[in-house]
Amino acid sequence: MNPGYAGRTELPDNLKALLRPVAMMAPDLALITEVILASEGFACGKSLAQRIIVIYRLMQQQLSKCSHYDFGLRNIKSVLTMAGSLKRQNSNEEEAMIIIRSLIGLNEPRFLCKDKVLFHLLLVDLFPEENLDLSSDELLSNSIDRVMRFNGLYPDKALVEKTVQLAHSQKARHSNMLIGETMTGKTTIWKSLSIAKTKLDSHHPNYATSVKTQVLNPKALSIAELYGSYDTATFEWSDGVLSTLFKGCAENELEGKKGSEQWIVFDGPVDALWIESMNSVMDDSKILTLINGDRVSMTNSMSLLFEVEDLQVASPATVSRAGMIFVDCAPKWRAVIQRWLDGAKVGVLTEGKDHILNLCEKVRIHALDGECNVNFLSLMH
């Protein structure tokens, strides 16, 4: 049914002979976009739809070919849904600016650094009359900054920005993926966000909530252990780890706390075998279907979060169903030194900190130039 998809097999020839071929045509994305914009209350839906389709076509042609990039109809639908939500919150805002905010909010977090620059250039070409300098969520950023400092971490600007992007993506999608190599801060991002959300008070109602997380490694379990299976001797059904967590979260929402959230975190590689069974959960139906016939629906308080290194074996169907946050916040030497200086037991004056940072910069330059025999005393002058 889907040739070339990972984790799926081709139909056998004897079964293909029983089926007749069906001709299909590509959907008219511009018309679909225009209709959705009109249903969301946009007055200039026709012109905006044309711009949206053009920018998606250009992104597909000019940006890098990465496994976590998706520029299909499901991504466009998420942008339009977010735009409708923003328009309802602020009906006086210019419609083109609402579209720009939605495009940036749902696409920029997944891009590589070089693609992010090109993406902004495309936006400038298609929306030359608009200002693309969007204001950041200062209150949430400050809360994340305080949480990181309290936990003994240096709040690197890029790391805080990725944490804010995850918060915004969770508002638009119930399934999100943090993608990046080891030691880039993926775990720090979602843990800091969960604590920051819990600590925010009623002055920020969009994020003030209590968060409960359930973490599991899907690759440490077999498919039967993950989803459940029948006993071959007694034919009795036994729930798996994920199905148990799912049913527990669905039945046991945090009572009495409005706006509370429950996250199920998949901390492990994405495998084509187990992730394909999650497609019905990750799309708009939000239903986990088990082989015993049980159908467990996600509640509004539930959210899925995947912490993975890459999506090389994931099918396009999986990639298109989740919000992507590409994390490339590798530890920078200056942040490490700054954290060490901030945590020094003996107080160091600001001038002394700057001198140490400058000294480390000189040593780093000489090390990159291959100068091993360096007179460090001469660098201190």
Side-chain angles (χ1 to χ4, degrees):
M1 300 298 289
N2 292 289
Y5 267 30
R8 305 187 186 184
T9 57
E10 296 283 349
L11 287 175
D13 292 336
N14 60 343
L15 185 57
K16 285 183 180 179
L18 302 176
L19 305 174
R20 62 183 179 87
V22 177
M24 302 181 68
M25 61 181 295
D28 188 342
L29 298 181
L31 180 59
I32 295 173
T33 303
E34 180 183 348
V35 171
I36 296 177
L37 285 175
S39 67
E40 296 287 356
F42 284 81
C44 304
K46 190 175 183 64
S47 61
L48 291 175
Q50 295 294 336
R51 295 189 191 185
I52 292 172
I53 299 307
V54 168
I55 194 170
Y56 268 90
R57 187 179 299 118
L58 292 175
M59 286 193 294
Q60 193 169 18
Q61 294 171 355
Q62 300 184 21
L63 299 189
S64 304
K65 307 301 180 184
C66 295
S67 58
H68 61 275
Y69 282 10
D70 170 57
F71 306 115
L73 182 58
R74 190 173 274 116
N75 185 290
I76 296 174
K77 176 66 165 58
S78 298
V79 170
L80 300 179
T81 302
M82 183 178 181
S85 177
L86 292 175
K87 184 170 180 60
R88 286 187 291 273
Q89 294 175 12
N90 189 1
S91 57
N92 296 326
E93 187 174 5
E94 191 175 350
E95 291 185 348
M97 199 64 205
I98 293 176
I99 296 297
I100 291 174
R101 289 173 58 189
S102 302
L103 287 169
I104 293 177
L106 289 181
N107 285 292
E108 188 178 81
R110 74 176 69 216
F111 290 150
L112 306 178
C113 292
K114 59 180 181 180
D115 290 335
K116 192 183 300 183
V117 176
L118 183 55
F119 172 62
H120 279 267
L121 292 176
L122 294 176
L123 285 177
V124 171
D125 289 341
L126 288 171
F127 298 92
E129 70 281 0
E130 302 297 336
N131 180 18
L132 300 184
D133 295 330
L134 304 181
S135 58
S136 59
D137 195 334
E138 292 293 336
L139 196 55
L140 181 60
S141 299
N142 293 337
S143 179
I144 294 168
D145 186 292
R146 290 192 298 270
V147 168
M148 289 185 176
R149 292 185 184 276
F150 180 80
N151 291 331
L153 304 172
Y154 180 76
D156 185 71
K157 182 179 179 181
L159 198 64
V160 174
E161 181 183 357
K162 287 296 178 183
T163 309
V164 174
Q165 288 177 353
L166 174 60
H168 291 167
S169 183
Q170 284 184 322
K171 294 178 65 177
R173 293 179 183 251
H174 64 279
S175 299
N176 293 276
M177 292 189 177
L178 287 168
I179 308 166
E181 297 181 358
T182 304
M183 298 297 294
T184 52
K186 300 190 296 295
T187 303
T188 300
I189 286 174
W190 69 259
K191 284 187 175 181
S192 299
L193 179 60
S194 64
I195 299 173
K197 279 188 171 184
T198 304
K199 289 184 177 294
L200 280 173
D201 54 25
S202 58
H203 295 296
H204 205 312
N206 291 334
Y207 296 108
T209 183
S210 58
V211 179
K212 182 180 180 181
T213 58
Q214 304 279 0
V215 185
L216 74 153
N217 181 0
K219 285 295 288 180
L221 305 168
S222 65
I223 299 298
E225 293 171 333
L226 189 62
Y227 292 105
S229 62
Y230 281 107
D231 188 291
T232 55
T234 63
F235 295 100
E236 291 184 358
W237 172 259
S238 298
D239 279 318
V241 175
L242 177 58
S243 57
T244 301
L245 285 177
F246 224 87
K247 290 179 179 179
C249 291
E251 296 172 359
N252 187 31
E253 294 192 25
L254 299 179
E255 296 157 357
K257 294 184 179 180
K258 186 178 180 181
S260 60
E261 295 182 9
Q262 298 180 98
W263 298 357
I264 299 179
V265 182
F266 297 84
D267 188 359
V270 166
D271 185 276
L273 297 177
W274 73 265
I275 194 64
E276 287 295 321
S277 300
M278 295 291 294
N279 282 352
S280 62
V281 187
M282 297 167 64
D283 61 21
D284 292 339
S285 62
K286 304 202 304 186
I287 296 176
L288 176 65
T289 304
L290 305 175
I291 60 174
N292 68 337
D294 287 352
R295 292 164 59 85
V296 188
S297 299
M298 287 184 65
T299 62
N300 293 332
S301 67
M302 293 173 62
S303 179
L304 303 180
L305 186 61
F306 301 83
E307 185 180 332
V308 301
E309 184 173 353
D310 57 57
L311 293 174
Q312 295 297 330
V313 297
S315 67
T318 300
V319 175
S320 65
R321 282 170 163 82
M324 302 291 170
I325 296 90
F326 179 72
V327 184
D328 56 352
C329 310
K332 303 176 179 64
W333 69 269
R334 185 177 289 273
V336 175
I337 297 297
Q338 186 67 56
R339 174 66 193 94
W340 174 73
L341 290 174
D342 293 341
K345 294 182 179 180
V346 180
V348 182
L349 297 177
T350 303
E351 295 80 3
K353 292 181 179 180
D354 294 339
H355 183 65
I356 293 176
L357 287 173
N358 292 333
L359 179 61
C360 292
E361 174 67 21
K362 293 179 181 179
V363 172
R364 185 183 70 88
I365 293 174
H366 284 286
L368 291 177
D369 292 340
E371 300 179 17
C372 299
N373 299 321
V374 180
N375 184 358
F376 290 98
L377 293 177
S378 63
L379 297 178
M380 300 181 68
H381 299 290

